Amino acid sequence: QVQLVESGGGLVQVGGSLRLSCAASGRSFSSTAMGWFRQAPGKEREFIAAISWNGMDSDYGNSVKGRFTISRDNVRDTVYLSGNSLKPEDSGVYYCAGRLDRVGILRRVASDYRYWGQGTQVIVSS
């Protein structure tokens, strides 16, 4: 089992940067593919990024491609999300998610992930 806790959210100016962290606990992190999703008021949960269990492969949603980077540290059991050139539409609650995989499969659908954090809110001022 894996427990996930996000941190690093807050207020950021348009054009600024963010760095979110997701701390994992449990014995299965090294066998867990990870992802980031966000949800804005009145909108569906949106895929942001995914990374394989060993960090060798990653995938990004179209709205953040070229601006956001997902990474992981399996020694510290932590996943990160960095973003640049933030826009007002980047606002929302960001969720860390995990799914058991040690093959390297990347998923973009929220229902494919079993483990979820509580979310951390990001507000990009306009």
Side-chain angles (χ1 to χ4, degrees):
Q1 304 300 312
V2 178
Q3 291 75 48
L4 306 174
V5 179
E6 305 95 332
S7 63
L11 180 65
V12 62
Q13 298 296 315
V14 173
S17 302
L18 65 79
R19 183 172 175 82
L20 307 180
S21 298
C22 174
S25 61
R27 306 194 196 102
S28 302
F29 184 73
S30 62
S31 299
T32 304
M34 303 297 297
W36 286 96
F37 294 78
R38 74 183 176 204
Q39 189 163 23
K43 299 182 65 177
E44 294 183 336
R45 189 163 297 187
E46 177 186 11
F47 170 74
I48 299 300
I51 190 167
S52 61
W53 69 273
N54 59 3
M56 295 296 293
D57 297 290
S58 59
D59 188 25
Y60 297 92
N62 290 335
S63 64
V64 302
K65 190 173 298 182
R67 299 189 298 118
F68 282 36
T69 300
I70 186 172
S71 61
R72 69 187 297 162
D73 186 338
N74 283 6
V75 175
R76 298 183 181 274
D77 288 359
T78 303
V79 180
Y80 305 96
L81 182 70
S82 299
N84 298 314
S85 302
L86 295 185
K87 310 171 182 179
E89 51 264 44
D90 291 321
S91 299
V93 178
Y94 283 69
Y95 296 93
C96 178
R99 48 175 292 273
L100 294 178
D101 178 89
R102 203 161 183 174
V103 177
I105 299 173
L106 300 178
R107 301 294 189 190
R108 302 169 64 98
V109 180
S111 61
D112 288 334
Y113 291 80
R114 178 176 180 179
Y115 308 108
W116 291 86
Q118 83 289 345
T120 183
Q121 187 171 43
V122 174
I123 301 176
V124 183
S125 64
S126 60

